[in-house]
Amino acid sequence: MPSPGTCNGTALRKAARHVSLLYDAALAPLDLRGTQRAILVHVARLGAPGMGDLAAALVLDRSALAHMIKPLVARKLLSVERDPADGRGRIVRLTQAGTALLAASAPLWQTAQTRFEQAFGPAKAARLRALLAEIAALDLSLTR
C-alpha cells in the first residue's frame, strides 16, 4: 500500500484545508468563510454571471454552487434571478449588502494573505499560485 504522503489529492486537500482555516479565522468577525468570499469576489468580477459560468469559474458543479450560495442569498448578499435572455437560466448578482460586505472583508482577507506570505515566503507563495493555476488548467479527464 502506498504511503499517504504520495497521494496528490490528499496532499492538496490537506494543504487547502490548512490554509482555509487561516482565511476563515480572519473573516470570522464578519460571519464569512473564505469559500463564501470567493463566491462574492467572482460574482463581482464577472458582473452578473449565469450559474453555469460562475460554477465554471469556481471549478464547481452547478448543484454544489447552488448549495453554497443559499446562505449568501438568505443573508441578502446575493440575488438569483431568471436570466432575461434565457428564461430557463439563472443569473447571480451581488446586492448592495454583498458589495458592502465584500469591501469590509478586504482588510481581513489581506491580513490572512499577509500572514500566509510571511509564513511561507512571498516568492514561494507566488510560485505556488502559479503552480496551482497550472494544475487547475490541466485536462485530468479519465476518459481520454
Side-chain angles (χ1 to χ4, degrees), residues 76-136:
K76 300 188 182 335
L77 302 173
L78 293 176
S79 66
V80 179
E81 306 158 8
R82 177 168 281 136
D83 186 340
D86 176 4
R88 298 169 297 161
R90 299 285 181 262
I91 56 171
V92 182
R93 293 186 193 277
L94 202 55
T95 65
Q96 208 170 12
T99 300
L101 186 67
L102 187 55
S105 73
L108 301 176
W109 174 86
Q110 187 60 58
T111 297
Q113 186 81 352
T114 300
R115 175 67 189 115
F116 178 80
E117 292 202 0
Q118 285 173 341
F120 195 60
K124 283 173 50 179
R127 284 196 312 272
L128 175 64
R129 288 189 302 273
L131 288 170
L132 292 171
E134 282 185 50
I135 291 169

Side-chain angles (χ1 to χ4, degrees), residues 35-47:
T35 51
Q36 293 172 321
R37 185 178 189 278
I39 292 169
L40 297 177
V41 166
H42 277 77
V43 172
R45 283 185 186 152
L46 296 171

Side-chain angles (χ1 to χ4, degrees), residues 33 35-36 39 51 54-55 58 60-74 78 80 92:
R33 297 180 56 93
T35 51
Q36 293 172 321
I39 292 169
M51 288 288 283
L54 183 57
L58 291 162
L60 292 170
D61 63 63
R62 288 174 65 137
S63 62
L65 175 62
H67 175 75
M68 292 175 72
I69 65 171
K70 280 181 185 178
L72 299 172
V73 171
L78 293 176
V80 179
V92 182

